[in-house]
Amino acid sequence: MKEPVDVAVVGAGVTGLSVAYNLARLGMPRISVFERGYLGVGSTGRSGGGIRAQFASPEIIILARESERAYEKLSAELGYNVMFRQGGYLFLAYDEDEVRQYKEMVRLQNSLGVKSQFLEPHEAKELVPDLNSDAILGATFHGRDGTAVHQGVLWGYARACARLGVEVLTFTEVRAVRSDGDGKFVLCTDRGNVVSRNIVVAAGAHSKPIAKMMGVDIPTTPLRREALATEPLKPFFDPMIVSLRGEWLFQTLRGEVVGGAVVEGERPTYELTSTFDFLIQTARSWTRIMPRLKHVNILRQWAGLYDDTPDAKPILGETPVKGFYLACGFSGYGFMLAPMVGKLLAEQIVDGRTSIDIRPFSLERFRTRRVERERSLI
Ligand SMILES: Cc1cc2nc3c(=O)[nH]c(=O)nc-3n(C[C@H](O)[C@H](O)[C@H](O)COP(=O)(O)OP(=O)(O)OC[C@H]3O[C@@H](n4cnc5c(N)ncnc54)[C@H](O)[C@@H]3O)c2cc1C
């Protein structure tokens, strides 16, 4: 049996590491993070690294806005270059209904301090000259949005954790969690048992079975999302280009175009295989959006998991089991929220209160009220 700890974090993706780092910054003494694989094996290492404040629900806009601001300072804070580039996010509107939705979203975002704007097709083309503006009726743009490199963010947090005395145990799987009958928890791992005063479940799409071990039922569903990368090209566009139909593409620092399109009819699965349907769907979407991509070679393809909730909003904070916390259900945008989610969870555990109200993200909401789905999913 290892020495008892104050907080055990399950999962060393961007969320778990951010929680652990922020806890250590607030002075929490003994923190252990358990990761069953290597750093980046989960969704974080498979994500696009996109960061945006353009959302449709007020509580998400506020959380994402603050997280984007945190990303602006993250390299300096961690002493590690996370390569956050603010080329903006360009949301494409294909029909009148989407134009109406986007205008509504821009009004709400502006009222909450996010300076997004609606663009006519020719204005979008000025921003991205290779865009097929004949295919769209408008777009929205927010220049503070952008992308960071996920390995940079993970390693930045991991190194900062190590400096602050946090123990990050890779290749250590949490196989069972139980109460010790004295207000603490016992985590049974494949490398021995550990007693902890608190647990934070940050295991991405695998959070549900871990929560279940303590009798906490969470309404999350694993969904496969695929991505691909082309050969590197000379840089020719800056923003992340996305649509409400699930298309996304951006150009990395190396010049590859990375992204994908949603394949209709995907059923809940933990499978991480890559599909030919996805390849075809993405090729169709991208060449319509940007005909110049027609003759570009695709080099690699991969898949990861979204951890979807009924309202496509995260589940954050303490559960009815005292000392047992959740940071999961990110529904496809957990990378961008991680700096604030880590800070807020740490505040709740250390101080019992948070600088932003996280009650809208409580597990309780699914029991006590009718929830509304976030509309700006990609
Ligand atoms: C193709 C794709 C593109 C995406 N693009 C974006 C994007 O542009 N922007 C954005 O914000 N989000 C994006 N996302 C979503 C984003 O990747 C996730 O929301 C985010 O990475 C979640 O981070 P996490 O740390 O919560 O989970 P993860 O990164 O999945 O980390 C959880 C960790 O827990 C570990 N674990 C699980 N079970 C156990 C156990 N029993 N014991 C020990 N360890 C365990 C796993 O191995 C894993 O490393 C994308 C996702 C995909 C699949």
Side-chain angles (χ1 to χ4, degrees):
M1 176 96 77
K2 242 172 68 62
E3 288 292 299
V5 296
D6 293 303
V7 184
V9 180
V10 186
V14 68
T15 307
L17 289 176
S18 172
V19 170
Y21 161 75
N22 279 286
L23 279 167
R25 275 191 80 201
L26 291 187
M28 181 63 75
R30 289 164 304 177
I31 306 160
S32 289
V33 185
F34 298 89
E35 169 53 56
R36 68 179 177 190
Y38 55 88
L39 292 187
V41 67
S43 296
T44 303
R46 299 159 190 274
S47 85
I51 293 158
R52 64 178 158 116
Q54 295 187 74
F55 279 91
S57 324
E59 67 273 30
I60 298 287
I61 296 172
I62 292 167
L63 190 58
R65 179 195 71 198
E66 292 308 308
S67 212
E68 186 165 273
R69 289 177 185 168
Y71 263 112
E72 287 171 349
K73 298 186 210 128
L74 196 63
S75 294
E77 182 181 330
L78 298 179
Y80 198 89
N81 189 358
V82 304
M83 288 171 268
F84 181 35
R85 288 186 301 148
Q86 291 174 289
Y89 254 65
L90 187 71
F91 271 79
L92 306 179
Y94 293 116
D95 58 35
E96 289 298 349
D97 187 44
E98 286 176 5
V99 167
R100 190 187 47 72
Q101 281 192 57
Y102 280 141
K103 288 188 171 166
E104 217 177 273
M105 279 163 61
V106 165
R107 267 197 298 276
L108 179 64
Q109 289 157 9
N110 290 173
S111 75
L112 294 169
V114 173
K115 293 190 175 140
S116 53
Q117 48 179 318
F118 185 82
L119 302 181
E120 296 300 332
H122 72 273
E123 293 172 307
K125 196 165 174 74
E126 276 163 31
L127 217 58
V128 180
D130 286 286
L131 182 73
N132 172 17
S133 54
D134 292 342
I136 60 170
L137 296 184
T140 66
F141 183 69
H142 180 231
R144 248 171 126 166
D145 296 344
T147 57
V149 174
H150 51 71
Q151 294 96 329
V153 176
L154 278 176
W155 281 101
Y157 274 127
R159 287 188 180 204
C161 278
R163 275 199 306 274
L164 295 172
V166 174
E167 181 180 48
V168 179
L169 297 156
T170 50
F171 298 100
T172 308
E173 181 172 15
V174 175
R175 294 197 166 155
V177 180
R178 56 182 161 79
S179 164
D180 76 345
D182 192 25
K184 297 195 205 68
F185 302 94
V186 181
L187 292 95
C188 308
T189 81
D190 53 354
R191 292 168 66 191
N193 292 358
V194 184
V195 172
S196 181
R197 281 202 300 123
N198 300 282
I199 293 187
V200 180
V201 181
H206 298 272
S207 299
K208 190 183 178 105
I210 296 166
K212 192 85 190 154
M213 293 170 191
M214 282 307 302
V216 175
D217 207 5
I218 56 175
T220 51
T221 309
L223 296 175
R224 173 173 51 189
R225 283 289 179 271
E226 296 183 62
L228 58 77
T230 68
E231 62 190 325
L233 306 168
K234 195 170 166 196
F236 68 98
F237 69 105
D238 286 328
M240 170 79 88
I241 301 173
V242 298
S243 79
L244 291 182
R245 301 178 185 195
E247 303 153 322
W248 58 290
L249 64 155
F250 72 103
Q251 202 168 12
T252 67
L253 284 165
R254 273 200 299 239
E256 306 151 315
V257 179
V258 168
V262 166
V263 178
E264 290 303 325
E266 278 271 15
R267 285 201 295 271
T269 179
Y270 281 106
E271 252 188 56
L272 290 174
T273 43
S274 295
T275 66
F276 189 60
D277 282 352
F278 167 77
L279 192 65
I280 298 293
Q281 180 66 37
T282 302
R284 282 204 185 112
S285 293
W286 283 14
T287 49
R288 180 175 33 78
I289 293 170
M290 208 179 255
R292 163 182 181 163
L293 292 175
K294 222 170 224 167
H295 302 292
V296 170
N297 293 307
I298 291 163
L299 291 194
R300 33 191 198 100
Q301 206 181 326
W302 66 93
L305 296 173
Y306 276 16
D307 182 30
D308 196 45
T309 62
D311 58 2
K313 293 169 193 165
I315 306 174
L316 304 177
E318 196 168 22
T319 65
V321 178
K322 196 170 167 10
F324 193 71
Y325 296 81
L326 298 171
C328 58
F330 290 105
S331 308
Y333 52 98
F335 179 79
M336 62 185 81
L337 298 182
M340 270 322 276
V341 164
K343 182 169 185 284
L344 295 168
L345 260 285
E347 287 171 354
Q348 191 183 43
I349 295 167
V350 174
D351 302 329
R353 57 197 148 80
T354 54
S355 47
I356 292 179
D357 187 6
I358 59 168
R359 280 171 302 178
F361 306 113
S362 73
L363 177 61
E364 284 294 282
R365 73 184 186 270
F366 299 110
R367 206 175 47 80
T368 54
R369 62 182 166 88
R370 233 183 91 132
V371 295
E372 245 180 71
R373 208 163 155 81
E374 164 63 35
R375 280 181 289 127
S376 73
L377 294 186
I378 296 160

